[in-house]
Amino acid sequence: MMLAVDIAGIKMKTPVMTASGTFGSGPEYADFVDLNKIGAIVVKGTTLEPRGGNKGRRMAETPAGMLNCIGLENPGVDEFVGHILPGLAAYDVPIIVNIAGRTADEFGELAARLSVPGVAGLELNISCPNVKEGGIAFGTDCANAAAVVRAVRKNTRLPVITKLSPNVTDIVSIAKAAEEAGSDAISLINTLLGMAIDIYKWRPVLGNVTGGLSGPAIKPVALRMVWQVARAVKCPVIGLGGIMTANDAIEFLLAGASAVAVGTANFVNPRASVEIAEGIRDYLVERGLKNVSDIVGRINDNI
Ligand SMILES: Cc1cc2nc3c(=O)[nH]c(=O)nc-3n(C[C@H](O)[C@H](O)[C@H](O)COP(=O)(O)O)c2cc1C
């Protein structure tokens, strides 16, 4: 009970979720980890039509991280609702669907089609750096971000989480625009735009030339942005970016995140989200604290 959190009406057993694109739809990991012990599963970015993703090499390791340019490969919303979602009913874990549209109206259409039993909430991916249309264009402009949230808001009663891009100068203004437009929660950060070059072929390593950087390398940036946003908005904040251990997650909670998500760490250790939740519980017990909310936003930054 001490780990239970309610994020905008989504009741989670632990504050540790899995990050979109790093955990499939969930069942792909069921042989390795008990899905019922995860706070919430955020499904891979879902679009109106099926997408094949980008051509060429899509992943590259970097010091303390990785680059990816998957390009939102997914089977499309109809396949998800018709064939994948029914299988997820076997698990006692909230399912949050990450959605990506090319226009605000497409986001609205996705929200309408996903407002069905079994979906606990929607996460708006206004921050994908790896697609030509939409994606990051929404997440780098306050008016565009607000337009997406409004289009979704009018089509669904589900909790709406807006996922922010770190590839901006002022992340607080985008967070505020999303909150004012009706977002129930904010998650951040998506990947940082990066690239790698093959010095023997004189060519980019990734098929898409650029890709999104994730993993421990981005944690200090993510933590700083979560701290800035949590102080500026009233809605709950979900923190992610480079979380590998319970100590990492606790830093995000102290910075003001009410929950966290684990991404790249799943590729190293599929049990990471559960082990991190256990580590947070141990940390609370050792300090005689009763609830995870006792540490949320408790950083003493009046220095
Ligand atoms: C292979 C891969 C695929 C991803 N796909 C998505 C996606 O479909 N939608 C999305 O919002 N974020 C996506 N992300 C971003 C992650 O959800 C997360 O925001 C980012 O990786 C930072 O967290 P991490 O450092 O813990 O991985 C993806 C990340 C990776 C590594």
Side-chain angles (χ1 to χ4, degrees):
M1 284 306 287
M2 72 189 329
L3 290 182
V5 293
D6 181 325
I7 303 292
I10 305 171
K11 293 188 177 21
M12 306 181 357
K13 284 177 230 164
T14 88
V16 188
M17 319 159 53
T18 57
S20 177
T22 65
F23 208 72
S25 315
E28 296 91 331
Y29 278 78
D31 285 344
F32 307 103
V33 57
D34 183 354
L35 302 185
N36 303 303
K37 292 188 174 165
I38 296 172
I41 292 173
V42 185
V43 172
K44 170 77 188 153
T46 300
T47 54
L48 277 180
E49 309 295 336
R51 287 182 70 124
N54 287 325
K55 292 196 172 61
R57 188 164 161 190
R58 296 170 170 197
M59 283 197 187
E61 277 195 45
T62 63
M66 59 175 279
L67 287 162
N68 92 82
C69 60
I70 307 296
L72 292 179
E73 178 179 352
N74 80 99
V77 66
D78 290 341
E79 174 70 13
F80 177 78
V81 172
H83 295 109
I84 299 173
L85 189 59
L88 292 170
Y91 303 100
D92 180 22
V93 56
I95 302 297
I96 297 169
V97 186
N98 179 281
I99 60 175
R102 281 170 298 197
T103 61
D105 286 347
E106 275 197 19
F107 274 94
E109 176 71 26
L110 281 158
R113 293 215 214 161
L114 285 159
S115 296
V116 294
V119 176
L122 300 176
E123 182 178 63
L124 317 186
N125 180 1
I126 59 166
S127 45
C128 185
N130 303 319
V131 289
K132 284 203 177 62
E133 318 99 342
I136 204 158
F138 296 115
T140 51
D141 180 280
C142 290
N144 288 347
V148 169
V149 176
R150 276 197 297 273
V152 168
R153 188 71 287 167
K154 73 174 197 288
N155 278 4
T156 188
R157 296 167 94 169
L158 287 173
V160 172
I161 304 162
T162 306
K163 183 165 181 183
L164 304 186
S165 169
N167 302 304
V168 293
T169 312
D170 178 12
I171 196 147
V172 169
S173 60
I174 311 274
K176 282 185 171 169
E179 182 181 43
E180 277 161 26
S183 191
D184 302 298
I186 303 285
S187 59
L188 72 159
I189 59 172
N190 208 316
T191 52
L192 281 151
L193 199 57
M195 73 183 285
I197 296 176
D198 184 327
I199 62 162
Y200 302 102
K201 296 183 186 152
W202 296 17
R203 293 180 57 81
V205 172
L206 294 175
N208 195 45
V209 183
T210 60
L213 180 66
S214 62
I218 72 169
K219 196 192 87 177
V221 178
L223 193 60
R224 182 265 294 176
M225 289 185 158
V226 165
W227 175 73
Q228 287 179 316
V229 167
R231 291 153 62 95
V233 298
K234 291 182 201 70
C235 66
V237 169
I238 299 163
L240 74 160
I243 296 177
M244 307 298 281
T245 65
N247 287 4
D248 294 333
I250 291 163
E251 283 191 72
F252 278 84
L253 297 169
L254 288 168
S258 301
V260 295
V262 171
T264 301
N266 292 305
F267 299 137
V268 185
N269 173 13
R271 281 183 44 79
S273 53
V274 172
E275 290 174 5
I276 287 170
E278 288 166 358
I280 296 171
R281 189 197 52 215
D282 293 346
Y283 178 87
L284 296 176
V285 170
E286 279 162 20
R287 281 158 186 78
L289 299 169
K290 301 231 159 2
N291 198 278
V292 67
S293 61
D294 293 339
I295 62 170
V296 169
R298 293 297 298 277
I299 176 182
N300 181 359
D301 48 14
N302 294 324
I303 44 174

